[in-house]
Amino acid sequence: MDALPARAATLRAFNRFYTRKIGVPGDTLLSTRFSLTESRLLWELAQAPKGSPGLTATALVRNLQLDAGYLSRLLASLRERGLVKARRAAHDGRQTLLSLTAAGARAFASLDKRSQEQASALLAALPEAQQQQLMLATGQLQTLLGDTAREPPRLRALRSGDLGWVVSRHGALYAQEYGFDVHFEALVARIAADFIDQFDAQREAAWIAERAGTPLGCVFIVRSRHERTGKPLPGVAQLRLLLVEPAARGQGLGKLLTAECERFAVAAGYQRIKLWTNSVLLAARGIYQAAGYRLLSSEAHTKFGGTQVGEVWEKQLSR
């Protein structure tokens, strides 16, 4: 890729900027007597579960991705300073278990407090909207680079700011991946506004899927309404605005969101769920088909700037 060297340079520039911002290039971290690596080592030892006998040097090498000899020298220094203790494992005398001493725990608590204060000061300098933007960006970095990829996503209810994200991501992704124009984004905005204006907590719901605070997807379940009169159709729910971020695809998230809609619909007393989609959305169609939806009808349209085939799918619900 011709763009790869330039992108790598941009990423390196960001690394230099951020490490300067938090004072990493200095000999010590946060005006303490600890280097960055020593601080991270104390953090790893402090995260051991309560009551745990400690961590092995092998585990620390794996977690910190350090050379074993370098780690050994760091541990020796921390032990000499009375911050780390070592003892033989009861189950295997060949293994040494490492843990913080009382002094080490106090040193870590002070270091952790300073780090929290530094991060809080960085955030406090930004208005609320920019703080939320920063949280989203950091979460996306973690997800894309794999640090949190093994954590299961969690579903939560909507909160302030989520509808803007839903509209924005639908508009951006569908334009990028399917060539939909701004009329699609306008449609999503109307659906989102109607959800708030007509909301019935007993019959309607919406969820955001997130990991490490980063939104990964969304889905809405609402009362299905007559196309012309707008009146609710008895016993019929409608699944709307299913979206999964590209970085989170292939992990079963679409299936999880769809299943949550069905669970809610059954509990709310609906007899069936319907949805409208487009034939070009192959991944979404696969999710619906696997979940037991069947295609009822299809019709060509030009609502979003090009010729598409709209489809109506439906699933009968069993209690």
Side-chain angles (χ1 to χ4, degrees):
M1 289 178 60
D2 293 339
L4 191 58
R7 290 172 180 171
T10 299
L11 187 60
R12 293 174 62 201
F14 170 77
N15 289 340
R16 291 193 295 273
F17 159 77
Y18 187 66
T19 52
R20 284 197 306 271
K21 193 75 175 175
I22 62 174
V24 168
D27 293 333
T28 60
L29 185 68
L30 297 169
S31 300
T32 67
R33 64 186 190 277
F34 302 110
S35 68
L36 174 63
T37 309
E38 288 175 329
S39 301
R40 180 60 196 277
L41 182 51
L42 292 175
W43 187 91
E44 287 288 340
L45 292 170
Q47 302 315 302
K50 190 174 182 180
S52 166
L55 297 175
T56 64
T58 301
L60 290 170
V61 165
R62 182 182 63 248
N63 294 348
L64 296 172
Q65 298 183 358
L66 292 176
D67 173 77
Y70 178 48
L71 176 66
S72 179
R73 291 191 294 275
L74 285 176
L75 287 170
S77 173
L78 292 173
R79 289 177 67 182
E80 288 173 3
R81 290 145 68 183
L83 303 175
V84 172
K85 59 185 177 181
R87 64 184 183 85
R88 295 292 180 187
H91 65 284
D92 186 346
R94 295 169 299 177
Q95 285 192 341
T96 300
L97 297 175
L98 301 156
S99 59
L100 294 179
T101 62
R106 289 193 298 271
F108 170 75
S110 175
L111 187 63
D112 192 50
K113 182 173 181 291
R114 292 191 188 197
S115 181
Q116 181 72 13
E117 289 172 347
Q118 182 195 52
S120 296
L122 288 173
L123 288 167
L126 301 174
E128 175 63 24
Q130 291 184 10
Q131 289 186 29
Q132 292 185 14
Q133 241 183 318
L134 182 59
M135 292 302 97
L136 176 62
T138 55
Q140 287 176 331
L141 276 172
Q142 286 182 282
T143 298
L144 290 171
L145 296 178
D147 189 47
T148 60
R150 289 172 293 180
E151 294 181 17
R154 72 180 188 96
L155 304 187
R156 61 166 176 79
L158 290 182
R159 60 190 182 208
S160 296
D162 285 335
L163 287 180
W165 178 85
V166 169
V167 175
S168 173
R169 294 309 292 155
H170 270 83
L173 286 177
Y174 278 71
Q176 175 185 329
E177 298 180 350
Y178 305 109
F180 287 12
D181 66 14
V182 292
H183 291 90
F184 176 72
E185 190 169 353
L187 171 64
V188 176
R190 283 195 293 273
I191 293 171
D194 288 344
F195 178 78
I196 298 301
D197 291 342
Q198 303 170 349
F199 183 61
D200 178 351
Q202 302 301 314
R203 310 281 287 172
E204 299 177 317
W207 297 271
I208 297 293
E210 67 177 14
R211 180 188 288 125
T214 301
L216 301 177
C218 62
V219 75
F220 289 56
I221 187 81
V222 300
R223 291 178 294 176
S224 184
R225 294 176 179 273
H226 192 279
E227 193 170 330
R228 289 192 300 275
T229 67
K231 292 183 178 180
L233 300 175
V236 186
Q238 185 160 357
L239 186 152
R240 310 204 79 165
L241 304 184
L242 174 67
L243 178 139
V244 176
E245 286 282 356
R249 292 174 187 169
Q251 303 172 27
L253 185 53
K255 179 180 178 181
L256 176 67
L257 289 164
T258 305
E260 187 66 13
C261 283
E262 183 173 337
R263 181 202 62 75
F264 179 89
V266 169
Y270 288 108
Q271 282 83 54
R272 54 197 171 102
I273 303 178
K274 63 181 294 187
L275 62 89
W276 184 81
T277 188
N278 285 270
S279 61
V280 70
L281 307 181
L282 298 180
R285 293 173 85 252
I287 291 170
Y288 303 141
Q289 194 167 19
Y293 288 80
R294 61 189 183 91
L295 179 62
L296 295 185
S297 63
S298 60
E299 183 178 4
H301 68 86
T302 56
K303 295 179 180 179
F304 311 133
T307 301
Q308 301 290 341
V309 177
E311 299 178 339
V312 177
W313 292 68
E314 184 179 90
K315 178 176 183 177
Q316 296 290 329
L317 299 175
S318 58
R319 294 183 179 280

